[in-house]
Amino acid sequence: MKVRHAGATGLMLPPISLGLWRHYGSNDPLNERRKVILHAFDQGVFHFDVANNYGNNGSDFGSTESLLGQVLSTDLKAYRDELVISTKAGYLIHEGPYGFGTSRKSMLQGIDDSLRRLQLDYVDIFYAHRFDPTTPIAETVRALDDIVRQGKARYVGVSNYETPQAQQAIELFKQLGTPFVLDQMSYNILNPHVETSGLTETLRQAGAGVIAYGPLCEGLLSQRYLNGIPDDFPIHHTNKSLFENGKPALVAKLNQLNQLAQDRGQTLSQMSLAWLLRDPVVTSVIIGTTSVAHLDDNLKATAKLDFTADELEQIEKILR
């Protein structure tokens, strides 16, 4: 896979990265997860994304970082210079007033705890995981800048920062000379809010990039739900508006998108990933899987990233 730069910066990522949000905690089989991580690396996926609050769907905070740390220390230690490891702080990690949020204290203790669990001296990207309305953006930005200056992170980013918040943070990062590279956002073909809100253009002008999480919309953009979506489907809060017109209407759109994907010689998942990567401002998409077969299928999306004007128009009509 060809690497992609985060905007105008020197940070390079594979177009498809592996995220360990779900099913990579202490309750999961280490050897099975290890196989997926190592297979991904063998296929050119050198970026692994975690956060300090990942683990067993929130019941064992930090255990995902610990799992990845074991694999890094036993299998990938010799390849550290080839890896990009990213983590985040900002959501609930422990009880007490500093167990959540992006205050200076929370961020500085967050990076130290993450490095201990990951068994690393530094991470490549450290994110403020969310916008914290109780903490001035300037305080969070300064904490991230200090984390880089302390050698605990090579680059920094923000996650779930909408356009006004990102613009304010970017200006402060510029003043400090901080190596800000990415805004990690929920972004997929069914939920193009990142585009329509002007965030992609804001980041493009700032010389930074977007990195998309949830690019397959919790699996909706696979062929599993072409015959219907179950009542208990666990939709992410950023995509809940998709159900406003009823699930049958969404299923009809999925089938139309699937037909277009077939016409392109791709699966629905592959086309959905390619649609995101068609714009160079999207540095990478973060997929989450525990299956080597699904991983390999998704990686094939990079074989065809171009879209004709007619295909883009058809997609727009389907999503109206």
Side-chain angles (χ1 to χ4, degrees), residues 2-152:
K2 293 183 178 179
V3 299
R4 295 164 72 101
H5 281 259
T9 75
L11 177 69
M12 293 170 279
L13 296 181
I16 296 178
S17 302
L18 183 62
L20 311 184
W21 175 31
R22 289 175 173 165
H23 309 300
Y24 280 86
S26 58
N27 289 345
D28 299 296
L30 173 61
N31 285 337
E32 292 302 311
R33 300 302 180 262
R34 171 179 167 272
K35 289 178 183 177
V36 177
I37 292 170
L38 296 182
H39 181 79
F41 181 64
D42 286 341
Q43 299 305 308
V45 177
F46 56 87
H47 174 216
F48 300 97
D49 180 84
V50 291
N52 65 351
N53 70 322
Y54 291 176
N56 305 330
N57 293 326
S59 65
D60 189 7
F61 298 126
S63 65
T64 297
E65 287 182 326
S66 296
L67 184 151
L68 178 59
Q70 290 183 65
V71 177
L72 293 174
S73 65
T74 58
D75 297 281
L76 294 175
K77 189 173 183 178
Y79 305 99
R80 178 64 185 100
D81 290 348
E82 300 178 41
L83 296 169
V84 175
I85 306 299
S86 60
T87 193
K88 321 173 194 74
Y91 284 108
L92 180 67
I93 180 66
H94 61 74
E95 295 300 323
Y98 295 105
F100 61 95
T102 62
S103 69
R104 178 177 179 82
K105 179 173 171 61
S106 296
M107 297 301 286
L108 292 177
Q109 67 190 25
I111 184 63
D112 287 343
D113 291 343
S114 288
L115 292 177
R116 174 178 50 79
R117 286 187 290 263
L118 289 165
Q119 302 183 50
L120 295 175
D121 297 324
Y122 69 92
V123 293
D124 298 279
I125 312 168
F126 189 61
Y127 293 92
H129 203 168
R130 66 181 179 94
F131 169 67
D132 176 4
T134 69
T135 299
I137 288 179
E139 180 177 337
T140 302
V141 164
R142 187 56 184 264
L144 289 169
D145 181 74
D146 283 343
I147 286 168
V148 172
R149 295 181 188 279
Q150 292 168 5
K152 296 175 181 179

Side-chain angles (χ1 to χ4, degrees), residues 68-303:
L68 178 59
Q70 290 183 65
V71 177
L72 293 174
S73 65
T74 58
D75 297 281
L76 294 175
K77 189 173 183 178
Y79 305 99
R80 178 64 185 100
D81 290 348
E82 300 178 41
L83 296 169
V84 175
I85 306 299
S86 60
T87 193
K88 321 173 194 74
Y91 284 108
L92 180 67
I93 180 66
H94 61 74
E95 295 300 323
Y98 295 105
F100 61 95
T102 62
S103 69
R104 178 177 179 82
K105 179 173 171 61
S106 296
M107 297 301 286
L108 292 177
Q109 67 190 25
I111 184 63
D112 287 343
D113 291 343
S114 288
L115 292 177
R116 174 178 50 79
R117 286 187 290 263
L118 289 165
Q119 302 183 50
L120 295 175
D121 297 324
Y122 69 92
V123 293
D124 298 279
I125 312 168
F126 189 61
Y127 293 92
H129 203 168
R130 66 181 179 94
F131 169 67
D132 176 4
T134 69
T135 299
I137 288 179
E139 180 177 337
T140 302
V141 164
R142 187 56 184 264
L144 289 169
D145 181 74
D146 283 343
I147 286 168
V148 172
R149 295 181 188 279
Q150 292 168 5
K152 296 175 181 179
R154 298 295 188 249
Y155 300 91
V156 299
V158 295
S159 181
N160 301 305
Y161 272 46
E162 295 290 348
T163 304
Q165 302 151 5
Q167 288 172 336
Q168 185 177 346
I170 288 166
E171 183 58 34
L172 292 167
F173 282 130
K174 285 183 177 179
Q175 293 174 16
L176 293 171
T178 316
F180 167 72
V181 287
L182 294 164
D183 191 347
Q184 186 175 138
M185 295 292 290
S186 173
Y187 185 18
N188 57 68
I189 197 171
L190 296 173
N191 177 17
H193 171 71
V194 169
E195 287 183 31
T196 58
S197 68
L199 183 58
T200 51
E201 192 56 35
T202 292
L203 293 166
R204 196 190 323 272
Q205 292 178 9
V210 179
I211 184 163
Y213 72 82
L216 298 180
C217 201
E218 286 72 62
L220 284 177
L221 290 165
S222 68
Q223 295 176 310
R224 281 174 282 175
Y225 302 103
L226 297 179
N227 295 319
I229 302 169
D231 292 336
D232 60 350
F233 183 83
I235 191 70
H236 192 264
H237 68 89
T238 56
N239 296 309
K240 283 186 177 179
S241 63
L242 297 177
F243 292 168
E244 286 180 351
N245 295 322
K247 292 179 181 177
L250 180 56
V251 169
K253 290 182 179 181
L254 293 176
N255 277 275
Q256 293 177 66
L257 289 171
N258 184 61
Q259 182 59 58
L260 178 57
Q262 290 181 347
D263 293 343
R264 283 172 48 86
Q266 293 180 309
T267 65
L268 177 55
S269 296
Q270 290 165 358
M271 184 185 76
S272 299
L273 297 176
W275 182 85
L276 288 168
L277 292 166
R278 79 194 190 284
D279 187 343
V281 77
V282 178
T283 307
S284 186
V285 297
I286 302 174
I287 63 169
T289 183
T290 59
S291 165
V292 167
H294 288 165
L295 173 66
D296 286 342
D297 181 72
N298 288 339
L299 294 180
K300 293 177 183 176
T302 60

